[in-house]
Amino acid sequence: MTIGIIGAMREEIVPLLTLYKEYESIEIAGNVYYKITYKNATIIIAYSKIGKVHAAISATTMILRFGCEKIIFSGVAGGLAKGLKVGDLLLATKLCQHDVDITAFGHAMGFIPEGKLFYESDKQLCDMAKEVAKDMGLSIKEGIVASGDQFIANQQIKDSIVKEFNAIAVEMEGASVACVCDNFKIPYCIFRSISDSADGEASQSFDEFLESSAKISADFVYKIVDKI
Ligand code: SAH
């Protein structure tokens, strides 16, 4: 089994590299892929750089170049749902691209013809994650995650994403990884820990909590991979 783990930023994968300790580094198309042999599995870890395009490059490389059979994303996100706090862990049941807009032709916001408005995470991986969370005594929230090439730091924009997509969190990569995996028929799941609330204080909160929240997500993903 070959499993790919993607983060967007270096801080999101460093906790995993620290846990796995030994790895080989392979450079492809502007990214470094860290190859790990763990029990009977091969694990490929990379940070893609921020945004949907970069994340799509990494996901595609993991599938075509490394033969990854499952892909997991680990990182941080802005919380949209009421009650979500910094450090809360969540899994994306579905993902959408909140910044896709060809509504001028009568299409729904987020929809691209021959694409999907919502991409669904793999049920088996989600179920496994919920089991792991239970065993660890962690609570994990689930819901729709909206991705777009914008750092959301504004109450009005935040409200409009909630209204349009009923999303519980916002980030900048999940839906593109989901779209790649859906097209290649590769099971995937996106995990995020909250770093900020996507409001007027989001950038300060993000800077303060990036590392600690990234570690919460990475530690959890490490436990899931152990179970696969
Ligand atoms: N501080 C960084 C930029 C971070 S962009 C720099 O200057 O280089 C935010 C990253 O965290 C993205 O990878 C995104 O997926 C996630 N994220 C966390 N909170 C977010 C928010 N409120 N809106 C959008 N993405 C968010």
Side-chain angles (χ1 to χ4, degrees), residues 8 93 198:
T93 50

Side-chain angles (χ1 to χ4, degrees), residues 98-135:
H98 69 75
D99 58 349
V100 162
D101 184 354
I102 49 171
T103 55
F105 298 93
H107 297 294
M109 196 59 194
F111 180 74
I112 294 174
E114 296 182 51
K116 290 179 183 170
L117 179 50
F118 291 104
Y119 291 93
E120 273 182 52
S121 283
D122 181 60
K123 189 168 177 319
Q124 222 183 322
L125 279 173
C126 290
D127 286 347
M128 197 180 285
K130 285 186 260 183
E131 246 173 68
V132 170
K134 205 170 152 205
D135 290 349

Side-chain angles (χ1 to χ4, degrees), residues 24-38:
E24 182 191 339
S25 306
I26 303 146
E27 209 184 314
I28 302 169
N31 292 108
V32 180
Y33 293 81
Y34 300 94
K35 187 173 179 185
I36 291 146
T37 306
Y38 181 71

Side-chain angles (χ1 to χ4, degrees), residues 150-168:
Q150 300 159 2
F151 182 78
I152 305 301
N154 175 292
Q155 188 66 45
Q156 266 163 316
I157 302 175
K158 177 179 165 172
D159 292 344
S160 72
I161 295 171
V162 173
K163 193 165 167 236
E164 187 70 44
F165 301 101
N166 197 24
I168 62 163

